[in-house]
Amino acid sequence: MGHESNARPLRAARPQKGLSGRLTVAGDKSISHRALMFGALAVGRTEITGLLEGEDVLRTAAAMRALGATVERLAPGHWQVAGRGVGGLTEPEDVLDMGNSGTAARLICGLIAGHPIFAVLTGDASLRKRPMKRVTDPLAASGARFTSRQGGRLPLAIEGAAEPLPLDYTLPMASAQVKSAVLLAGLGARGVTRVVEPEASRDHTENMLRHFGATVRVAPQGQGRVIELEGQPELVAAPVAVPGDPSSAAFPLVAALLVPGSEVTVESVGLNPLRTGLFTTLREMGADLTVSDARTEGGEPMGDLTARHGALRAVDVPAGRVPSMVDEYPILAVAAACAAGVSRFRGLAELRVKESDRVAATAALLAVNGVMVEIEGDDMLVHGTGAPPAGGGHVVTHMDHRIAMSALVLGLATQAPVTVDDASFIDTSFPGFADLINRAAGGDALQRLNRPGKP
């Protein structure tokens, strides 16, 4: 099944009136994975609402079933997990296939390392190329044994430790996945597991550990943090309301900021401060962006975000903000293209190794639509005039869902419509994106195109 035959070109044009309404976006993927895993490790029945039902998360659900938990889908987004307790997972009868999910594969390495069981992990062609040594090397110190293909790649055989040892590990780089794998292994060990991270990475694991009853201490150390977990806790089932993914909420919110007459509210968005760099940056640009009904669910802050159209000004984004908004630079660049002045985004090296080289792809997206953009080392400069850009471009998305959605949002604001070569893979992170934008616009602002030579 070739990619070309399934390509779905889409065109975005300025709507007749502003965007309006109350919207919801898909649940946060990072929290969805963890809710299923902690539900499987807890005693009792954990109710999960708002679970993201994408392919990656469904692989985690299947793996938890294979490890002995009872995992049931009660309704869309509403799941129940009857857990086995810490140390209670059972040996799977077959290989665990993690599909394309690096998060699931790396976290499950930690989960199994702390149990006296044998398991084999594999994944799709893409995941089988990705190195696992960054988690298996520290986990081996707990007493678990790992056998893999050359370079630490899947398939990977794991023999968990009968008496896992607590780990004391300093991360070479900020990685929520490696940190989480070490903490999950530490659940099965007597004593304190300690992780030192050089910069703060996403802390969903620490928040959820506390929510399920573990004792976790976090202390600042330089730019980073020291995390300590008391081993062998009794985790008790606790309800988890998965917040809307802030990375997905970014698209309708920025669209509302750019289209005259718009006011849009996205409900129940995750507001973890390690994920909200984009919202901070938009406010620095003068965006009318407000939070209502702020609350904490499952250890995570969340609230309803309202965006209203207004003039934006250029911004200088420090490199230190990259970890909290690494996925949001393409949509921020679209906002900067419509702002007054020259914006500079600093220190974007990490964006060159995402689904595509997002620095190059973002620059091309803007340039083909009449926006002046410069790359200086790892910095990007976007020249905005304060007026709608020309548009009219055909954007090559490189199968990157965030490039596709960013280009379509730009097309809602430009003078001439913007076309993307393929929107089919948007569903990996934001099912129903085009329908949601069209409902808010009250019409067909996003229109599917027939490919040349097709009826």
Side-chain angles (χ1 to χ4, degrees):
M1 209 162 70
H3 167 67
E4 285 301 320
S5 62
N6 298 318
R8 292 211 313 260
L10 207 59
R11 182 173 64 204
R14 193 184 296 191
Q16 300 295 307
K17 57 187 178 61
L19 279 61
S20 64
R22 296 184 72 85
L23 317 173
T24 55
V25 297
D28 185 282
K29 191 197 289 190
S30 300
I31 295 171
S32 293
H33 281 302
R34 287 161 173 82
L36 290 165
M37 291 184 195
F38 283 109
L41 290 170
V43 175
R45 293 181 182 276
T46 291
E47 296 272 338
I48 306 169
T49 51
L51 188 87
L52 173 65
E53 294 179 343
E55 180 67 25
D56 286 3
V57 176
L58 297 179
R59 295 283 183 173
T60 293
M64 294 306 103
R65 272 193 203 104
L67 291 165
T70 304
V71 183
E72 296 175 276
R73 181 181 189 264
L74 306 179
H78 184 190
W79 292 59
Q80 187 181 77
V81 183
R84 305 280 308 189
V86 170
L89 297 182
T90 55
E91 195 159 279
E93 292 187 0
D94 202 350
V95 171
L96 303 177
D97 185 346
M98 304 323 303
N100 187 238
S101 182
T103 300
R106 293 191 176 111
L107 268 57
I108 286 171
C109 284
L111 206 64
I112 293 168
H115 284 77
I117 59 177
F118 172 81
V120 178
L121 298 188
T122 190
D124 68 8
S126 163
L127 188 60
R128 291 196 306 270
K129 290 189 183 118
R130 287 155 75 179
M132 294 291 151
K133 281 178 73 67
R134 63 199 308 196
V135 292
T136 59
D137 282 356
L139 291 174
S142 72
R145 294 170 58 185
F146 300 90
T147 310
S148 68
R149 289 194 303 134
Q150 191 175 9
R153 297 193 306 273
L154 301 181
L156 171 71
I158 308 171
E159 284 180 74
E163 295 279 337
L165 301 169
L167 295 168
D168 189 334
Y169 185 64
T170 299
L171 289 159
M173 83 291 280
S175 167
Q177 291 180 4
V178 180
K179 170 179 67 176
S180 298
V182 170
L183 291 172
L184 283 164
L187 286 171
R190 288 180 192 275
V192 176
T193 288
R194 184 171 176 270
V195 183
V196 182
E197 53 181 1
E199 310 173 45
S201 67
R202 295 178 179 189
D203 61 355
H204 302 307
T205 297
E206 297 94 305
N207 291 343
M208 203 169 284
L209 277 165
R210 287 194 195 95
H211 181 61
F212 279 85
T215 301
V216 181
R217 294 181 291 274
V218 180
Q221 179 172 297
Q223 295 295 306
R225 297 181 306 181
V226 180
I227 300 114
E228 292 184 337
L229 166 68
E230 298 275 353
Q232 299 189 337
E234 175 87 345
L235 298 185
V236 180
V240 179
V242 178
D245 193 316
S247 300
S248 297
F251 298 101
L253 290 169
V254 170
L257 296 175
L258 302 184
V259 176
S262 296
E263 179 173 334
V264 162
T265 298
V266 184
E267 298 177 342
S268 303
V269 179
L271 296 176
N272 186 307
L274 295 170
R275 296 285 299 279
T276 53
L278 175 71
F279 304 147
T280 301
T281 305
L282 290 171
R283 287 195 186 99
E284 289 173 0
M285 298 173 77
D288 186 345
L289 193 60
T290 54
V291 177
S292 55
D293 193 15
R295 57 205 188 271
T296 300
E297 297 267 7
E300 291 286 341
M302 61 198 285
D304 300 346
L305 271 174
T306 300
R308 297 174 191 85
H309 170 260
L312 300 177
R313 57 181 175 269
V315 69
D316 189 321
V317 187
R321 204 172 285 169
V322 171
S324 68
M325 56 183 294
V326 68
D327 290 327
E328 281 73 70
Y329 281 95
I331 191 63
L332 175 62
V334 166
C338 300
V342 181
S343 294
R344 180 184 282 266
F345 311 154
R346 299 179 185 270
L348 304 187
E350 181 70 13
L351 272 71
R352 297 188 188 277
V353 293
K354 301 300 281 185
E355 281 83 341
S356 65
D357 176 344
R358 279 204 182 135
V359 175
T362 301
L365 179 174
L366 297 178
V368 78
N369 285 293
V371 179
M372 184 176 165
V373 58
E374 301 170 82
I375 308 290
E376 291 183 1
D378 288 327
D379 293 3
M380 178 184 289
L381 283 76
V382 179
H383 294 251
T385 63
H394 179 78
V395 175
V396 179
T397 56
H398 305 283
M399 295 178 68
D400 187 324
H401 51 125
R402 297 193 197 282
I403 294 294
M405 288 186 280
S406 300
L408 293 167
V409 169
L410 179 64
L412 300 174
T414 49
Q415 297 167 44
V418 171
T419 307
V420 299
D421 65 344
D422 188 5
S424 61
F425 42 83
I426 288 174
D427 284 349
T428 62
S429 75
F430 200 148
F433 168 77
D435 291 341
L436 177 136
I437 294 293
N438 283 336
R439 276 201 310 277
D444 289 339
L446 304 188
Q447 286 193 318
R448 192 168 170 182
L449 301 178
N450 289 322
R451 298 202 325 283
K454 297 283 178 188

